[in-house]
Amino acid sequence: MTPYPSDALSVQLPALKSGPVSVAGWIHRVRRIGGLTFVVIRDGLGLMQVRHSDADAPLPRLEPEMAVRVSGVLVQESRAPDGVEIREPAFDVLSEPESPLPFHLGAPTLEAGLDLRLNHRTASLRHPSIRQVFQIEAALAEGFRSGLAARHFTEVWTPKLLGCASESGANVFSVQYFDREAFLAQSPQFYKQMLVGVFGRVYEIGPVFRAEPHDTVRHLSQYTSMDVEMGFIDDHHTVMAVLRDVMDVMLQTARPESALDWPKVPDAIPVVHFADALEMVSEGLGEDVRHEPDLAPAHEQWLGAWAKSQYGSDFLFVEGYPMQKRPFYTAPDPARALYSNSFDLLFRGQEIVTGGQRLHRYQDYLEALQERGMSTAGLEGYLEAFRLGMPPHGGFAIGLERLASRLMGLANIRDAALFPRDLKRLEP
Ligand code: AMO
């Protein structure tokens, strides 16, 4: 069996300190100063500096984005970015670009507008500042997994091709499925609930699809949903407590060493009731929104600023959304039937999570569907779970790209998707 190449990955170099090394990556930047040439090599995780002096073996022609392998001697050098650099390099050019890149990747920030960045995605993703967004997303997912595994949740994978819509009927993509119509899953909602009846506590990270007809900076037509569902809860507050703890693990896992303004999840995230939130927003914005059935983005923004000034918190729970705005599976507030045992979590003034307690009795489902004029057709498999004895349960879903774009201060959610899908974009 062929062994793995023993290249020193960029992240391992500082620990190695000195000695012969071989690294592989792409030419990120080449700079000549006096009799020296500094070549920055980028591998999948970071950058490393190579120093060539005119006394060394001659350099081959080196152009940005060539794939190369370099052998040399690692030495400590306090002026190098990581405190080490490779000297006396021997370059092996493995391949070179067929055409120049549409933008320059060697500068600290990428000077390219959104369309250019997205049209040439494999190129823009190579820029360290852009690539870092997805390394942080991977770390958020790792924290989500480890936080939930430690709390005895089982990871599951549910179908994305469905026989009927999984949320409200709106915003669903239909596809040809052999000789009939199928739908792309808007969420794993039904399946995660059904699986509570099996495992008690489940989670899933997977793609979901929303036929979002509007072109906004916070909607994608495919995004990554981080779903949780758990049984034997008291009410939605049990779920909110799990969300708080898991979010804490996620942010700690994803925190880059260099982070300055990294948010902290408060021990107790402040909670406001939806009705009180509308009162406060009405007063704060000077317009009467008390009869609105939902929070508009401007309202969320106001509430985010309020939570920051009142509690120093980047997070705010809004609970008790009106039943009319929540899907049929939502449990009502036993004390105020027009409101629900549901919540959103706002982060820096934007909804990043939705969750709540669900109905769990079969008869309640039949009534809820009937009240909303919905048929049970196509829901037989889902409803069977409730006929077989389901505990009080609830859960939530975090929108990964929403969270990541807020976390990293990205103005447009498209920048938090590797290959975003929106109203117009199906390529690359
Ligand atoms: P909801 O539809 O609110 O709830 O979605 C949950 C979270 O997903 C994110 N999100 C989106 N992100 C990008 N583009 C979109 N078009 C988009 N739509 C939603 C948001 C949102 O908070 N089944 C319920 C969850 C549950 O109750 O467990 C659901 O899907 O961050």
Side-chain angles (χ1 to χ4, degrees), residues 344-414:
D344 276 4
L345 179 62
L346 311 188
F347 172 52
R348 295 183 169 161
Q350 192 180 96
E351 170 204 329
I352 57 156
V353 186
T354 293
Q357 182 178 359
R358 328 297 186 187
L359 301 174
H360 64 279
R361 292 193 188 88
Y362 180 65
Q363 286 306 328
D364 291 344
Y365 273 89
L366 295 185
E367 278 168 31
L369 288 167
Q370 199 180 19
E371 264 172 34
R372 289 171 194 248
M374 294 171 69
S375 151
T376 56
L379 296 179
E380 295 83 0
Y382 174 54
L383 293 174
E384 184 180 38
F386 305 103
R387 283 199 278 123
L388 298 181
M390 274 286 274
H393 65 285
F396 59 84
I398 307 171
L400 175 61
E401 294 84 354
R402 282 259 182 107
L403 167 60
S405 56
R406 286 325 264 170
L407 191 55
M408 282 168 275
L410 307 174
N412 195 315
I413 194 168
R414 288 164 181 77

Side-chain angles (χ1 to χ4, degrees), residues 215-248:
D215 192 2
T216 79
V217 297
R218 54 194 249 162
H219 290 96
L220 293 165
S221 44
Q222 174 177 339
Y223 69 92
T224 308
S225 188
M226 305 172 106
D227 275 86
V228 166
E229 199 71 15
M230 63 188 293
F232 304 98
I233 61 171
D234 294 334
D235 58 22
H236 58 300
H237 295 119
T238 317
V239 179
M240 288 156 72
V242 170
L243 171 55
R244 185 256 153 229
D245 289 351
V246 169
M247 186 61 71
D248 189 33

